Amino acid sequence: MNLFEELDSFLERAYAPYSGFRVASIVVTTEGKIYRGVNVESVAYPTTMCAERNAVFHAVAEGVKPGEIAEVHILARNEAGAYVTAFPCGSCRQVIAEQSRGKATIHIYRGEREVEMHSIASLLPFHFASLD
Ligand code: THU
């Protein structure tokens, strides 16, 4: 199963009763392990969590360390059921930048053969990285 098929296999698990916008994400580590996430909405709308951060947080909970996240894959479907390009939001970019030490490649699908790739550094240049 390729990563598009893998994303598609659990996209339905997204909990999106308010927006109808489903997102699935897979984090791939430098060792080739994968961790999944979906968006989980809340009736208290701002407490919703994005698929990408859920995937990264899942990886961290399983022991993945900063710098070990190599790729983040994203697949989304709108309310009408069509695949749409979903770029990670600003908060997700910040978390991905920190957990990959600025090195992740983001793979954004619009179909099995329609994928665009961007470095996290290009999506979030000059990310906040230090409290010094
Ligand atoms: N969402 C994600 O999960 N990832 C993104 O990159 C953009 C937005 C979710 C949040 C919310 O549940 C729905 O998509 C609509 O904004």
Side-chain angles (χ1 to χ4, degrees), residues 1-11 24 26 36 75 83 109 111-113:
M1 203 187 273
N2 62 36
L3 285 182
F4 172 85
E5 288 170 343
E6 185 70 39
L7 286 160
D8 201 38
S9 75
F10 67 91
L11 185 55
I26 290 176
R36 298 171 182 81
L75 179 66
Y83 294 123
Y109 295 82
E112 185 150 15
R113 275 172 213 85

Side-chain angles (χ1 to χ4, degrees), residues 9-121:
S9 75
F10 67 91
L11 185 55
E12 205 54 43
R13 293 184 200 153
Y15 178 75
Y18 307 107
S19 72
F21 194 83
R22 294 174 185 277
V23 187
S25 180
I26 290 176
V27 159
V28 183
T29 69
T30 49
E31 288 187 338
K33 290 191 181 145
I34 69 167
Y35 297 91
R36 298 171 182 81
V38 293
N39 57 325
V40 179
E41 297 187 346
S42 166
V43 68
Y45 297 166
T47 57
T48 289
M49 183 50 66
C50 295
E52 298 91 323
R53 265 176 294 165
N54 275 336
V56 171
F57 296 162
H58 185 190
V60 172
E62 295 294 325
V64 174
K65 302 292 179 218
E68 294 177 356
I69 289 178
E71 299 169 7
V72 178
H73 295 249
I74 304 164
L75 179 66
R77 223 170 49 201
N78 65 18
E79 217 170 358
Y83 294 123
V84 288
T85 304
F87 281 83
C89 78
S91 297
C92 288
R93 293 179 196 201
Q94 178 64 38
V95 168
I96 292 165
E98 180 161 352
Q99 292 302 326
S100 71
R101 293 235 161 95
K103 294 209 176 71
T105 304
I106 316 301
H107 299 239
I108 304 163
Y109 295 82
R110 208 177 162 194
E112 185 150 15
R113 275 172 213 85
E114 286 178 274
V115 57
E116 51 182 285
M117 285 174 265
H118 300 277
S119 66
I120 189 63

